[in-house]
Amino acid sequence: KNSSIDFLRKKKVTPLSFAEELIAEKGDMVENIAQKDILEAFNIASKKLSSKNQKLIALHHQSGLTFSEIAQFLGEPINTIKSRYRRAITTLKKMLVDFQ
């Protein structure tokens, strides 16, 4: 008996019943649906931004460019880029809060 208990402790695997596995799978599905809803809301909100702000957010988040790289790429001062980015993010936050 003790050998079996020691073996199970070392293995550290907790067996799940069928019902627990089903609940875990449904929880994952709900989480995936929630993430899709959030992404859809973000896409809808970002399309309402000006084209300059859309491009700025895409360059920073999707392309991974720094603000100085974006400033060089767009030919604008870095402080202008930073200000526009902050305003765009603030606007997005407001739209997403209103979306809920």
Side-chain angles (χ1 to χ4, degrees), residues 3-94:
S3 296
S4 298
I5 292 172
D6 290 340
F7 174 77
L8 290 174
R9 282 186 188 152
K10 287 180 186 176
K11 196 172 180 183
K12 292 185 181 181
V13 174
T14 307
L16 293 176
S17 69
F18 177 73
E20 289 173 327
E21 289 178 11
L22 188 60
I23 290 170
E25 287 176 9
K26 284 188 179 185
D28 290 342
M29 289 187 329
V30 169
E31 186 176 320
N32 288 339
I33 290 170
Q35 288 175 350
K36 287 179 184 178
D37 288 345
I38 291 169
L39 184 59
E40 184 179 339
F42 177 80
N43 287 334
I44 291 169
S46 65
K47 288 178 183 176
K48 293 180 181 179
L49 294 174
S50 70
S51 61
K52 283 185 175 183
N53 288 342
Q54 288 178 15
K55 189 175 190 178
L56 175 61
I57 289 173
L59 287 172
H60 186 64
H61 290 281
Q62 293 173 355
S63 300
L65 298 177
T66 63
F67 291 125
S68 60
E69 292 170 335
I70 294 170
Q72 288 176 347
F73 180 75
L74 296 177
E76 296 183 13
I78 189 168
N79 288 334
T80 301
I81 297 299
K82 288 180 181 179
S83 297
R84 188 181 308 142
Y85 177 80
R86 279 193 299 272
R87 283 193 300 273
I89 293 297
T90 302
T91 303
L92 269 177
K93 285 181 182 178
K94 287 178 184 176

